[in-house]
Amino acid sequence: MLAAGLTEFLNELAQTGVKCDVWIVGSFACAALDPADVDLLVVWNHASAASLDEQGLAQFAMLLDRRHCRTSYHCDVYQVPNTRIAMLSYWLGWFGFTRDGGTPQGIGFILV
């Protein structure tokens, strides 16, 4: 169920035409036996998003809405434009370590 929701989310994100790096993090990406959802950070390209028409922008915004994504795809989506370097650093620190704060953990990347 989680993999199918993730695949559907990524396909719909690709259809928007916005270039994105999607970080797959959290329990789904680790050794957890039964994760409740897939935690994602969508790092979106500001320039490609700026070129969207009104309908494309609405579709893209819906895919960044956390409530919609939890319900529709079982994904917990966070987002940041690629121009916000300080926020990228924050998310790397947040997702790059286990909850004990000292053990590094991997981050999966998908280019969309």
Side-chain angles (χ1 to χ4, degrees):
M1 175 172 77
L2 294 181
L6 173 60
T7 299
E8 185 178 354
F9 173 80
L10 292 171
N11 287 337
E12 290 188 24
L13 187 61
Q15 289 174 7
T16 68
V18 177
K19 296 176 184 173
C20 299
D21 297 338
V22 179
W23 299 12
I24 302 175
V25 296
S27 58
F28 182 80
C30 298
L33 294 177
D34 193 22
D37 58 16
V38 181
D39 296 317
L40 303 173
L41 177 67
V42 177
V43 182
W44 50 275
N45 182 283
H46 186 267
S48 64
S51 69
L52 293 175
D53 61 18
E54 189 174 320
Q55 182 180 358
L57 191 56
Q59 170 74 16
F60 183 61
M62 186 174 65
L63 291 169
L64 299 181
D65 180 86
R66 290 183 69 200
R67 188 178 334 177
H68 169 74
C69 289
R70 275 193 213 121
T71 302
S72 299
Y73 312 106
H74 303 285
C75 293
D76 190 10
V77 175
Y78 302 88
Q79 59 85 21
V80 62
N82 66 341
T83 55
R84 302 280 311 271
I85 303 303
M87 286 303 300
L88 288 170
S89 180
Y90 166 80
W91 286 116
L92 184 59
W94 182 260
F95 289 128
F97 297 90
T98 60
R99 291 187 185 188
D100 68 16
T103 306
Q105 66 181 6
I107 298 174
F109 291 91
I110 296 178
L111 304 178
V112 177

